[in-house]
Amino acid sequence: MNAIKRPLHLTAAGQVFLTEARLVFPQLERAITSAQKVSRGEIGRLVVGTNSSVANSVLPDILQIFHPLFPEVILVLREVSSFEQVKQLRDRYIDIAFERLPNNNLNDGALNFLPILQEPLVVALPEKHPLAAQSQIPLIALADEPFVLPPTDLVPSYSQIISLCQQVGFSPKVVQEATWMVTVLSSVAGGVGVTLLPANAQNLQRKGVVYRPIQGENLTLELAVVWRRDDSSVVLREFLEITKTVARNQKSN
C-alpha cells in the first residue's frame, strides 16, 4: 500500500530563514560584482597631484580616455606645487603626480619615476616688448632682460632653465619670483619682465602676453610621472597605462 504523500510545509523557523535568504542573495550578488570591479580597477579612488603645466598639456588627454573607460572611479585632482608633490606622495595624501626632470628625488628608492614627455621652451614677454616683433627670439637676446621666474627651491626644474641661460653666456636677472604659471604670466602681462615656460603655456591666452619660440636652440624640459613603488592599486595601474598611451601619441604627432 502506497504511503500518502503530504505537501511539504516550512516550519516557522524555515520560513524566517527563507525570507532572510531572499534578502541576502541580491546583496551577495552585488558584493561579488563590486569585488570583481575592484579587481579590474573599475571602481575606486585615485588622488592625482597636478599643476598648471600638467593641466595644460597631458592631463586633459588622459582624462578624455580614462573617464569613459572607468566612469565609477573617483578621480581627485589636487593642485600641488612641485615642492610639495613628492612630500605628499610619501605621506600618502596623493597617489600619483607629474614632475619635471631632473629632480632631486630621482634616487629615492620609495618612488618610481617614468619620463613621458619632452616639451620645448618658449619665451613669454609683454605684447608691447620690442622683441615681440620677432617671430623667433635667440636666447642670448634676453641677456639684459628682467626675468620673472619661480624660486628654484619650490620649482627645482627651473635650475635647469638658469643653467641653459648660463650655457649661452648669461645668468637671468630675476626681478620677481612667482610659483604658479598664471601668476608668472600676470607679472609678464604687467610688464615686470620676461620668462621661459614650457610650450603648453601657450594654451593660456593671457591678455598682454605673447609667446615666441627660441631661435636656433633645442631647449626642452622633461616631464615624468611619479608614484610610490609599494602602491599596488589596480586603479593606479590603469591610470599609468593610459598616461603612457597618451605620451606615446603625443610623441608620434
Side-chain angles (χ1 to χ4, degrees), residues 109-182:
L111 301 175
N112 282 324
F113 283 81
L114 176 68
I116 58 171
L117 191 65
Q118 289 270 3
E119 249 192 309
L121 289 169
V122 296
V123 182
L125 63 163
E127 63 180 351
K128 294 183 180 179
H129 194 286
L131 290 173
Q134 301 184 27
S135 60
Q136 295 183 329
I137 299 173
L139 190 58
I140 191 63
L142 305 177
D144 296 322
E145 295 295 326
F147 270 78
V148 181
L149 292 177
T152 55
D153 57 336
L154 296 182
V155 188
S157 62
Y158 265 77
S159 61
Q160 182 184 0
I161 287 180
I162 292 173
S163 176
L164 291 171
C165 293
Q166 290 171 340
Q167 288 174 28
V168 300
F170 74 97
S171 292
K173 298 176 181 177
V174 181
V175 297
Q176 185 169 304
E177 292 185 334
T179 302
W180 298 102
M181 187 182 292
V182 289

Side-chain angles (χ1 to χ4, degrees), residues 12 16 20 25 29-30 38 59 71 79 88 93 108-109 116-117 124 136 141-142 156-157 174 186 191 199 207 236:
V16 170
E20 293 296 325
F25 283 135
E29 289 177 356
R30 286 195 295 271
V38 169
L59 188 59
E79 285 192 304
Q88 291 203 16
Y93 289 119
D108 188 331
I116 58 171
L117 191 65
Q136 295 183 329
L142 305 177
S157 62
V174 181
S186 293
K207 183 179 178 181
L236 172 65

Side-chain angles (χ1 to χ4, degrees), residues 42-166:
E42 294 175 3
I43 60 176
R45 185 174 185 268
L46 190 72
V47 184
V48 182
T50 183
N51 53 46
S52 300
S53 186
V54 173
N56 289 329
S57 57
V58 295
L59 188 59
D61 292 335
I62 293 170
L63 298 180
Q64 281 185 352
I65 298 174
F66 189 88
H67 273 304
L69 292 177
F70 303 97
E72 295 183 73
V73 171
I74 299 172
L75 274 185
V76 180
L77 304 181
R78 183 168 293 166
E79 285 192 304
V80 186
S81 69
S82 297
F83 176 74
E84 286 289 325
Q85 281 193 356
V86 168
K87 182 178 185 301
Q88 291 203 16
L89 269 174
R90 291 194 188 109
D91 293 341
R92 300 180 183 273
Y93 289 119
I94 61 177
D95 302 308
I96 189 169
F98 297 86
E99 284 278 317
R100 293 288 176 185
L101 299 180
N103 190 284
N104 295 334
N105 300 287
L106 275 173
N107 295 322
D108 188 331
L111 301 175
N112 282 324
F113 283 81
L114 176 68
I116 58 171
L117 191 65
Q118 289 270 3
E119 249 192 309
L121 289 169
V122 296
V123 182
L125 63 163
E127 63 180 351
K128 294 183 180 179
H129 194 286
L131 290 173
Q134 301 184 27
S135 60
Q136 295 183 329
I137 299 173
L139 190 58
I140 191 63
L142 305 177
D144 296 322
E145 295 295 326
F147 270 78
V148 181
L149 292 177
T152 55
D153 57 336
L154 296 182
V155 188
S157 62
Y158 265 77
S159 61
Q160 182 184 0
I161 287 180
I162 292 173
S163 176
L164 291 171
C165 293
Q166 290 171 340

